[in-house]
Structure formats: C-alpha cells, structure tokens
Amino acid sequence: MDKIYLYNTLIRKKELFIPIKKSKVSMYTCGPTVYWYQHIGNLRTMLLNDFLKRVLLHCGYKVKHVMNITDVDDKTIKASMNENISLKDLTTKYEEIFLIDLNSLNIITPNILVRATDSIKDMVKLIKTLQKKGYAYKTSDGIYFSILKFKNYGKLAILNKLKKTKARIISDNYDKSNVKDFALWKFYTENDGVVFWETEIGKGRPGWHIECSAMSMKYLGDNFDIHTGGTDLIFPHHTNEIAQSEATTNKKFVNYWIHGGFLTMKESKMSKSLGNIITLKELIQQTYSPMHFRYLCLQTHYRKALNFSWENLDAARSAHKKLERKIIQLKKEKHKGADKKKEYEKKFHEAIYDDLNFPRALQIIWKIIEDESFDSEKKLRFIEHLDSVLGLNIKEISEDNNIAIPPEVQKLIDSRERLRKAKLWAEADIIRERIKEFGYQIEDTPDGPQIEKLYRED
Ligand code: AMP
Ligand code: ZN
C-alpha cells in the first residue's frame, strides 16, 4: 500500500498515516447542527471528508465513516421555539435537506449516520463514569467537567500555558478567552420547553460536546484513527471531546485530527451569526451546478482559507465546462498512442497522498488531458479511474447532457456572433446576459461559441 501523509493538528505537522488496524480506517466527522440550511462553508468541510475518504479508499483501505447529526443543542432548541415547531419536525426537515446537499455534491454518504437524540443513553453512561472517576461534578444547573482534574486539558488547542480556573460555562459555544469547566448535562429550564429526558442523572439534556464523545466511541471504539471537522471546532468542541473521552477510558482518543480551513466571504468566516451565508440552493438558483462548487473546492488546498466570490465560482464553472468539453471530445477520439498511465499515476498519487494536494492533482488531470501522445481510449479509461478520487462524475459526461437549443436562443446566439465580429463587445455582452436569462450559458472557445444549458432546480 502507498504511504499517505496527513497534517495532524495534534502535533501541527504532516505525518505518515498508520491506521490502528492494518487495512481498515475508522473515521468520525462532526456532522451538521440541523437547525437551518447548511451554508457552503459547512459544505466545504463536508467535501473535505469526502476527499479524504476517497483518497483512503483509492489507496486500498476499507473506511468505516461515522457522522453525527446534532439534533439537540442550544441552537436547535432556540430555533424550534422561534419557529414554533417541534424539535423533531425542525431537525428532520434540515437533516433531509442536508442529505440532499451531500448527494448533489457527490459526497459519499457516511456508513453510519447517527442522531444525537438516539444516543442519549450512551451520553448518560459516559457522564456517570466521569462522575464516578471524579472528573464531573453537579451544580444547581447541570453537571460539569472539571478541566483542572484532567491533566492534559487543552493540548489540541495548545492551551497549556493558559491559567485554568474553576469557573463554569453552560453555553455550548464559547471561545479561548473563556476556558472554563463546561456542561456535560444541562438540567431542565423553562427555556427548553418540551425538550428534556428523564434520566438517572436528572431531568435535562446533554451538552453538545458529550454528544460526539458518546457517538464516536459507541461506533468506533475507545481509540480510533481519524476525527475531522472545521478549524473552529478545535476549541472548545474537540478539546472537550478529548478531555471527556480520555478521562473516561484512560486511552488515547483519536490518532489523527484533520481540520479544514474556512470558507470566507470578503476575508470573514462564513457563518450564520455574521449573516454572510450562501446555501447550495442559492448557488443552484443562480444557475450553478453543485459540481461547480465541488470543482472550486478542489482548486484550493483544504487547509487554506477559500475566499468565496461569484467571480471565483464563475472561473471554476468555466474550468469545469472546459473539462466537460474535453471529455466529450476524448470520448469521440480514436487515436492510438502510448500508454502513459504509470508515469501519470505516480505523479497523481504523490499529490493526493501528500496531505490531499488536490489542486496539484487537478493540474495533473489537465496535463493528462492535453497530452496528445497518450492513447485516447486508454487515456479516457485512466481519467475515469482517477475520477473515483475527484468525484466529478466524469463517466456520466456526455453530449446528451446538452439539450437542444430553442430557436429564440439560437437567434440570439447568431446576433451575438455578428456583433462580436463587428467588435461591438458591449452589445454582445448584453445579448449574452439575455441568453443567460433563458437558462443558457455561452462560452467562447477557439472553436467558436459553445452553448450549454445551465443547471436549474425546479
Ligand atoms: P455546524 O453545523 O456549525 O456544527 O458546522 C458543521 C461543520 O461545518 C463543522 O465541521 C464546522 O467546523 C464547519 N464550518 C462551519 N463554518 C465553516 C466555514 N465558514 N468554512 C468551513 N467550514 C465551516
Ligand atoms: Zn462533534
């Protein structure tokens, strides 16, 4: 098996990936909090999971991927109250939309999807153990984890030099300026409405952090290979997961922590609290295909910030469309030539196994496409094979995807060509926009204008 190097947040370095079991990988992902649509920042992190999983599968590993659905926490309860619908109805709706988003982005569904509300018993068990072992204590409003008791608290977030206090915080979300004992279990208050569980540790609900410790260890064991999420989860969420899990089992919780960079808008993190969010649905309404967004994410290394702009997305769409045209052309070609698979495969593997260098992998794909000396049929089979890692659905690309152009649109195309020939660019651009309103996109290529139907969701 080839060697894979991954950047592990725990040591802040790239290191050789060695799984616990020889050819099997256990992987856990912090899934969505289903109180609203996922924005494209959330989806960028979901694409990272997919890139990582596809690389591991390509390398020959079996992957057991578990993802949770956070369907109870401060945010979900608040949203269900505000919208005046039950927590179940709210979270089921957004969970469904999330799964559709994954599907349209060609993200392989996790092997196990687990809802927090289906794992309350496991959380209670974990909290009881923490109480028994002296890591947890009860107050009037909940059960808290004592960070002073856990010697290595904060290693992942590099908090070692920070002075730890005995103060407490009940909120699920807080920042590094607020390092405090955190809530494992929150006793019922009126603000929770009808959301509570009657349990041996009291009437209430779990804190967000304990949810992931319970669900990951339930399905993957006390020690597993990979845990993923966005960088914002390093503190407090993943820091607290480590503390809860390792205090319970006395074992190392996770071997490799993989964190994805943010998707930003005008350099600020995309987040609901800042109100700068875009959903996949909006991209589709603006006539982009989910594949254009996938392509955009492939173009930036997963640890770097991806500054989203419509111009960037346009560029990704153009590149993707060019790829489609090249593949359609390649499917028609029948020229004999060399089999250069071995040479390119080595380069492609070097890229993807070096901490998932997909921007480099894409460059290699383009080199292969442009290589005229490569036997055309062998080339096509080879690109389709590599696409199992990129997930761009190259096998499905065909001319049939391009629907017949209606006469009124054809007329506009012809007028635009006349204007372009007369070098009347501004007028030609106006017509291009009109064509877009009909749901068609014009791309000017060396072979003349190419027209394609834009992706639209009804
Ligand atoms: P949440 O639903 O807020 O728990 O987030 C789900 C996942 O999306 C987590 O792994 C977050 O770290 C990640 N995430 C949230 N905002 C962004 C962003 N702007 N860019 C990339 N990932 C994000
Ligand atoms: Zn989590």
Side-chain angles (χ1 to χ4, degrees):
M1 220 176 260
D2 282 298
K3 288 182 172 166
I4 300 182
Y5 290 84
L6 294 174
Y7 184 91
N8 187 352
T9 309
L10 206 52
I11 55 166
R12 302 280 191 293
K13 264 202 293 226
K14 265 192 234 177
E15 65 172 335
L16 178 64
F17 174 67
I18 307 170
I20 299 160
K21 289 186 188 151
K22 206 165 162 259
S23 55
K24 286 185 184 158
V25 179
S26 42
M27 171 169 157
Y28 182 84
T29 293
C30 286
T33 309
V34 281
Y35 68 112
W36 204 68
Y37 296 91
Q38 295 298 295
H39 57 66
I40 55 171
N42 301 134
L43 294 174
R44 181 193 183 196
T45 297
M46 298 305 151
L47 279 165
L48 155 64
N49 302 318
D50 195 53
F51 299 157
L52 173 58
K53 191 152 79 182
R54 285 170 181 272
V55 165
L56 293 165
L57 292 169
H58 188 80
C59 194
Y61 289 108
K62 279 201 171 123
V63 182
K64 183 174 177 185
H65 182 205
V66 178
M67 189 197 285
N68 78 296
I69 302 279
T70 303
D71 61 348
V72 59
D73 77 329
D74 298 349
K75 290 181 195 165
T76 42
I77 293 175
K78 203 169 157 205
S80 79
M81 299 272 207
N82 288 348
E83 291 184 30
N84 209 11
I85 59 171
S86 77
L87 185 69
K88 187 80 195 149
D89 286 350
L90 174 94
T91 56
T92 308
K93 172 181 165 189
Y94 291 113
E95 178 187 318
E96 268 169 29
I97 294 170
F98 168 68
L99 295 178
I100 293 169
D101 283 355
L102 290 194
N103 205 11
S104 20
L105 285 164
N106 200 21
I107 292 176
I108 305 170
T109 318
N111 304 80
I112 298 173
L113 265 171
V114 51
R115 291 188 197 106
T117 52
D118 290 333
S119 309
I120 302 290
K121 268 194 186 146
D122 305 281
M123 296 165 203
V124 170
K125 201 171 144 206
L126 215 57
I127 297 169
K128 277 174 70 185
T129 311
L130 288 170
Q131 280 180 308
K132 233 180 262 159
K133 292 184 86 171
Y135 288 103
Y137 61 92
K138 198 169 164 178
T139 69
S140 58
D141 62 357
I143 301 174
Y144 286 84
F145 185 92
S146 165
I147 59 169
L148 278 172
K149 282 264 164 60
F150 185 67
K151 208 169 81 238
N152 278 331
Y153 185 81
K155 202 173 153 208
L156 182 75
I158 325 187
L159 296 176
N160 1 7
K161 290 199 182 86
L162 227 104
K163 221 174 149 263
K164 297 171 195 164
T165 65
K166 275 187 172 172
R168 285 188 300 276
I169 183 143
I170 195 147
S171 156
D172 286 332
N173 273 304
Y174 52 95
D175 61 24
K176 278 191 190 175
S177 62
N178 250 324
V179 181
K180 288 178 183 146
D181 289 355
F182 58 90
L184 298 165
W185 189 258
K186 306 183 187 192
F187 291 139
Y188 180 76
T189 71
E190 273 177 10
N191 292 338
D192 293 339
V194 291
V195 181
F196 61 84
W197 283 264
E198 291 277 12
T199 72
E200 299 154 68
I201 54 171
K203 177 178 173 178
R205 62 181 174 99
W208 172 38
H209 314 296
I210 197 74
E211 296 185 1
C212 283
S213 283
M215 290 183 274
S216 60
M217 293 199 290
K218 180 176 178 184
Y219 292 99
L220 298 173
D222 295 348
N223 169 232
F224 58 91
D225 295 308
I226 300 178
H227 196 311
T228 68
T231 320
D232 54 337
L233 299 191
I234 297 174
F235 184 85
H237 188 53
H238 290 164
T239 295
N240 294 351
E241 271 189 55
I242 294 176
Q244 299 159 154
S245 308
E246 297 193 354
T248 306
T249 65
N250 296 330
K251 291 182 200 157
K252 186 175 183 182
F253 175 44
V254 171
N255 293 352
Y256 300 86
W257 286 91
I258 312 292
H259 289 103
F262 290 143
L263 184 133
T264 55
M265 282 268 276
K266 298 193 179 114
E267 315 300 333
S268 301
K269 179 193 168 202
M270 181 171 282
S271 72
K272 195 154 184 259
S273 53
L274 286 177
N276 60 351
I277 47 174
I278 298 177
T279 61
L280 193 65
K281 194 176 159 192
E282 281 172 70
L283 292 195
I284 294 169
Q285 281 164 348
Q286 297 292 323
T287 68
Y288 294 91
S289 129
M291 276 301 128
H292 301 147
F293 181 63
R294 186 174 178 108
Y295 195 95
L296 177 72
C297 292
L298 282 168
Q299 287 176 312
T300 303
H301 189 266
Y302 80 89
R303 281 197 287 121
K304 287 197 181 139
L306 193 172
N307 199 22
F308 179 85
S309 67
W310 294 103
E311 290 75 24
N312 288 348
L313 188 61
D314 275 340
R317 166 158 69 187
S318 291
H320 183 262
K321 283 190 179 294
K322 186 174 168 197
L323 179 79
E324 284 183 322
R325 284 197 300 275
K326 292 281 180 186
I327 296 295
I328 290 169
Q329 202 181 320
L330 189 59
K331 284 184 178 173
K332 288 183 202 155
E333 271 174 36
K334 294 246 172 309
H335 83 259
K336 295 280 168 219
D339 186 355
K340 302 180 86 176
K341 181 174 170 241
K342 282 250 153 61
E343 174 192 332
Y344 283 116
E345 191 159 53
K346 188 169 174 287
K347 289 184 181 151
F348 188 83
H349 284 176
E350 274 166 11
I352 58 170
Y353 296 152
D354 177 17
D355 196 29
L356 321 181
N357 192 340
F358 275 94
R360 175 97 198 95
L362 267 188
Q363 283 169 5
I364 296 163
I365 292 287
W366 277 107
K367 279 218 171 93
I368 300 170
I369 288 174
E370 308 287 357
D371 187 339
E372 294 295 330
S373 64
F374 201 149
D375 182 276
S376 61
E377 278 183 40
K378 291 197 171 85
K379 189 203 272 194
L380 180 63
R381 295 287 93 75
F382 180 51
I383 294 173
E384 286 174 351
H385 168 67
L386 298 183
D387 186 46
S388 69
V389 193
L390 303 172
L392 290 170
N393 277 338
I394 284 181
K395 249 189 194 148
E396 269 88 79
I397 296 173
S398 84
E399 263 176 326
D400 304 340
N401 299 346
N402 297 323
I403 300 158
I405 301 159
E408 63 273 29
V409 177
Q410 190 57 53
K411 267 190 203 152
L412 288 169
I413 297 169
D414 297 341
S415 330
R416 181 173 171 273
E417 264 318 274
R418 279 196 296 277
L419 291 166
R420 273 167 51 80
K421 283 203 178 112
K423 296 197 181 350
L424 295 166
W425 310 118
E427 288 80 354
D429 276 349
I430 293 169
I431 299 209
R432 177 204 283 266
E433 284 311 304
R434 177 62 58 83
I435 292 170
K436 212 169 168 181
E437 283 165 21
F438 278 95
Y440 291 83
Q441 164 92 357
I442 275 202
E443 289 276 328
D444 295 309
T445 77
D447 306 327
Q450 301 270 337
I451 180 105
E452 274 161 290
K453 182 129 180 64
L454 289 166
Y455 191 95
R456 226 178 242 282
E457 196 190 50
D458 293 319

